Amino acid sequence: MEIACFIEAADRHCQQQGVKLTALRRQVLELVLSYPGVVKAYQVLADLQKQRGIAAPPTVYRALDFLVAAGLLHKVDALNGYIVCHHVGCSHEGLILVCGDCGQVEELDATPVLDVLRQQAGGAGFAISQQNLMLTGRCKECRT
Amino acid sequence: MEIACFIEAADRHCQQQGVKLTALRRQVLELVLSYPGVVKAYQVLADLQKQRGIAAPPTVYRALDFLVAAGLLHKVDALNGYIVCHHVGCSHEGLILVCGDCGQVEELDATPVLDVLRQQAGGAGFAISQQNLMLTGRCKECRT
DNA sequence: TTCTCAAATGTTACGGTATAACAAAGTGAT
DNA sequence: ATCACTTTGTTATACCGTAACATTTGAGAA
Ligand SMILES: [Zn+2]
Ligand SMILES: [Zn+2]
Ligand SMILES: [Zn+2]
Ligand SMILES: [Zn+2]
């Protein structure tokens, strides 16, 4: 199974970083993984409630925050959602393409373009921090 | 006055586009202009209430949506806020730098870098739409 | 083992963000 | 004046996210 494999990698990744992928965090990660694209916190919360009967917002937000900090998820501000990072470990800044029609997500490497952006911003006295680039558009399928 | 000049240009810009900068929309634009950087909808709402006694969220959200659609404001998703576009008319895609410390904003031209991004995304079958690039970081002053 | 402390999770309550739905008022054309 | 259309007002509610404090858990020290 694809998911189990990812979880295993995530587990190793957390151990390397000296943080713990607890049962709850793993469960939330699995729930996010079960979606093909962007997922919202309250959707994860609903799923979690189906599985363990009761859960409150802080439970899922804390897990999501942890997973983002660990580099396993990315937050998609424009959609108030989260996506799985499929480039764990490859110390990267992501170029995240979100299809506005179907919600599917593709993640490319933004390192080269961010070098250019850092230079351009630096010329204006601005130091841009480590971050991902989010762009919206339409995926191959949705372009018909 | 700087603001009056901007409003005048905004008015012309709207006329050219065949949309109307009504009194309410102008008032909201002035309120956003009165801040140096990112402003939040509910802050504008509070200001509006001071000026006209009563106002509800839809009033300000509708005005803000209009101003964004007209190209007079940009929405900063990462901060749930809005900024004034100081490149009205120059048909542009902005590279918007937001200082995470002080909220100040600088807007550069993102056209060249978006050309590169379009090419990279196109290689993955993705057609990215017209949009601005938002990056967070620290401005000259806040870097101490 | 048992204690202790820090991290993680549970729980309650609340505040911030945004929109749906419908009513009323303005605008301009016939 | 009447009509169709756009804008604004109003109420209510849904969605997003966190503060604050209680409780549990688990790893290391005594
Ligand atoms: Zn990634
Ligand atoms: Zn799609
Ligand atoms: Zn702009
Ligand atoms: Zn600053």
Side-chain angles (χ1 to χ4, degrees):
Chain A
M1 191 170 195
E2 174 67 43
I3 290 184
C5 175
F6 186 94
I7 295 284
E8 218 173 299
D11 220 334
R12 280 194 302 275
H13 179 72
C14 286
Q15 279 187 325
Q16 278 177 7
Q17 301 210 142
V19 295
K20 278 178 284 188
L21 187 64
T22 63
L24 172 65
R25 289 162 179 173
R26 184 194 322 269
Q27 190 178 6
V28 168
L29 179 55
E30 282 168 0
L31 289 170
V32 177
L33 272 166
S34 73
Y35 289 87
V38 178
V39 198
K40 309 202 137 202
Y42 271 67
Q43 182 60 58
V44 174
L45 178 58
D47 295 347
L48 201 60
Q49 286 168 339
K50 275 180 211 143
Q51 293 192 357
R52 46 167 65 197
I54 190 169
T59 299
V60 66
Y61 276 105
R62 282 193 287 234
L64 290 170
D65 288 348
F66 169 87
L67 294 167
V68 169
L72 297 166
L73 302 182
H74 297 302
K75 185 166 201 310
V76 184
D77 289 316
L79 305 174
N80 295 323
Y82 299 83
I83 59 170
V84 175
C85 175
H86 288 284
H87 298 68
V88 175
C90 14
S91 114
H92 67 295
E93 291 179 296
L95 169 58
I96 295 166
L97 306 171
V98 182
C99 177
D101 285 9
C102 68
Q104 259 187 357
V105 170
E106 184 131 8
E107 183 176 346
L108 308 176
D109 183 15
T111 308
V113 73
L114 271 168
D115 286 347
V116 176
L117 285 170
R118 286 217 160 74
Q119 200 154 351
Q120 188 180 0
F126 220 94
I128 69 182
S129 54
Q130 160 109 8
Q131 66 200 282
N132 297 300
L133 239 44
M134 305 267 173
L135 296 171
T136 59
R138 304 182 78 184
C139 72
K140 202 179 300 191
E141 286 79 30
C142 293
R143 283 205 280 167
T144 65
Chain B
M1 195 169 191
E2 173 66 44
I3 290 185
C5 175
F6 186 94
I7 294 283
E8 217 172 302
D11 221 334
R12 280 194 303 274
H13 178 72
C14 287
Q15 279 186 324
Q16 278 177 6
Q17 302 211 140
V19 296
K20 277 179 285 189
L21 188 64
T22 64
L24 173 64
R25 290 162 177 173
R26 185 195 320 270
Q27 190 178 7
V28 167
L29 179 55
E30 282 169 0
L31 289 170
V32 177
L33 272 167
S34 74
Y35 289 86
V38 179
V39 198
K40 311 205 133 201
Y42 271 67
Q43 182 60 57
V44 175
L45 178 58
D47 295 346
L48 201 60
Q49 286 169 340
K50 274 180 212 145
Q51 293 192 358
R52 47 167 64 196
I54 191 168
T59 299
V60 66
Y61 276 105
R62 283 193 288 235
L64 290 170
D65 289 348
F66 168 88
L67 295 167
V68 168
L72 297 167
L73 301 182
H74 297 303
K75 186 165 202 303
V76 184
D77 290 315
L79 304 174
N80 297 321
Y82 299 82
I83 59 171
V84 175
C85 175
H86 287 285
H87 298 69
V88 175
C90 13
S91 116
H92 68 297
E93 289 179 297
L95 168 57
I96 295 165
L97 306 170
V98 182
C99 177
D101 286 8
C102 68
Q104 257 185 359
V105 170
E106 184 131 6
E107 183 174 348
L108 310 176
D109 182 16
T111 308
V113 73
L114 271 168
D115 287 345
V116 176
L117 285 170
R118 285 216 162 74
Q119 200 155 350
Q120 186 180 1
F126 218 95
I128 69 182
S129 54
Q130 160 108 8
Q131 67 199 280
N132 297 300
L133 238 45
M134 304 265 174
L135 295 172
T136 58
R138 306 183 75 184
C139 72
K140 202 179 301 193
E141 286 78 31
C142 293
R143 284 204 280 167
T144 65

